[in-house]
Amino acid sequence: MNAPDPGRPEDDAASLRRALRATAGELAPPPYPVERVRRLGRRRVRTRRALVAVPAAVAAVLAAVAIALPQWPGGEGLPAADSAGGEAPGPRATPSLAPAQPAAPSARPWPSVRTVGAGEPVEIGRGQVLTLGADQVCHRDTTEPGGGVEDTCKSVSDGNQAAGSVSIQSSGALLRPLYIGPGRAARMTVEVDGEVFRAQVLTLEGNPGYAVGYAWGSGVSFDGPTPKVRVSDAEGKLLAEFP
């Protein structure tokens, strides 16, 4: 290290800089590790690419598995188990959580045929009375002024209605189908303007050759739609229909 010039004043900072510069000049720095830095860089790039590729590969595998599995109705690609704990023999639908719907009219039980005695007054509601005889059916409306002492009767033997046929009488909301024929009527329906009413069937003991029914509906008017009447036996065999 060169000695300071005794003829020029010098501060401590300048002296320290000269000393450090002289000492550093004697040290040789190691060569820069170019290849090692390049290897580390290439490794980091490969690692980053692998991390990006893994989620896409996993998603593709999962999609392929989902497509390969059989699709069962209401399931998650697997068959539902039966009540015994094993696998079900076939697909089974998921139970519906919808509220139970009321039974359709065809699912309701039919009213039983009511057998009455000849001349026996049968109250059918709303002040109305029916009476069955050997040769006629009579209807009385007790709500009429004077007690409804007069009966409206229809003959079942005068030949005005052919055997194996059905007719319909209406009094207000009261619908009264009348079947004449050898079959044993057990079911009667009256359809008015698309609405179907089931009639209660009345008959006499033995084989009277006719049966009458009654139902409360919307009634039939001359200028309204033509009612449709069907009569069947207990097994559902059609005996007659109108028109």
Side-chain angles (χ1 to χ4, degrees):
M1 181 173 63
N2 296 329
D5 187 358
R8 189 176 60 183
E10 184 178 31
D11 56 12
D12 294 337
S15 177
L16 179 60
R17 283 196 297 272
R18 279 199 306 273
L20 291 175
R21 192 177 297 113
T23 303
E26 299 176 359
L27 299 177
Y32 183 73
V34 177
E35 290 301 324
R36 182 171 178 271
V37 172
R38 289 178 178 175
R39 287 196 304 271
L40 291 176
R42 287 194 295 267
R43 184 180 305 171
R44 291 182 179 180
V45 171
R46 288 196 299 269
T47 302
R48 189 179 302 111
R49 290 176 179 174
L51 291 177
V52 172
V54 166
V58 172
V61 172
L62 292 178
V65 172
I67 294 174
L69 285 174
Q71 300 301 311
W72 302 88
E76 300 296 335
L78 296 175
D82 58 12
S83 57
E87 289 187 353
R92 184 171 62 185
T94 302
S96 175
L97 299 181
Q101 299 296 325
S106 59
R108 297 198 309 265
W110 287 86
S112 301
V113 177
R114 182 178 175 184
T115 302
V116 300
E120 173 188 353
V122 181
E123 296 183 359
I124 60 175
R126 306 187 188 184
Q128 309 300 307
V129 177
L130 290 180
T131 304
L132 280 63
D135 58 357
Q136 65 180 4
V137 176
C138 297
H139 168 241
R140 176 183 298 180
D141 183 359
T142 63
T143 64
E144 291 291 336
V149 294
E150 295 294 331
D151 292 340
T152 302
C153 300
K154 176 176 177 57
S155 173
V156 296
S157 60
D158 60 4
N160 288 332
Q161 181 174 329
S165 67
V166 61
S167 62
I168 178 72
Q169 289 80 43
S170 175
S171 177
L174 177 61
L175 304 172
R176 293 185 292 115
L178 173 64
Y179 167 73
I180 297 177
R184 301 190 67 85
R187 304 175 182 177
M188 294 184 179
T189 59
V190 181
E191 181 179 347
V192 181
D193 198 18
E195 188 173 6
V196 179
F197 303 95
R198 289 185 176 183
Q200 170 65 60
V201 179
L202 302 177
T203 187
L204 295 174
E205 296 178 348
N207 297 296
Y210 78 94
V212 66
Y214 68 89
W216 293 98
S218 55
V220 179
S221 61
F222 289 106
D223 57 350
T226 301
K228 299 178 182 179
V229 187
R230 293 175 61 89
V231 181
S232 306
D233 61 14
E235 286 71 36
K237 178 182 176 182
L238 182 66
L239 299 179
E241 62 182 340
F242 173 86

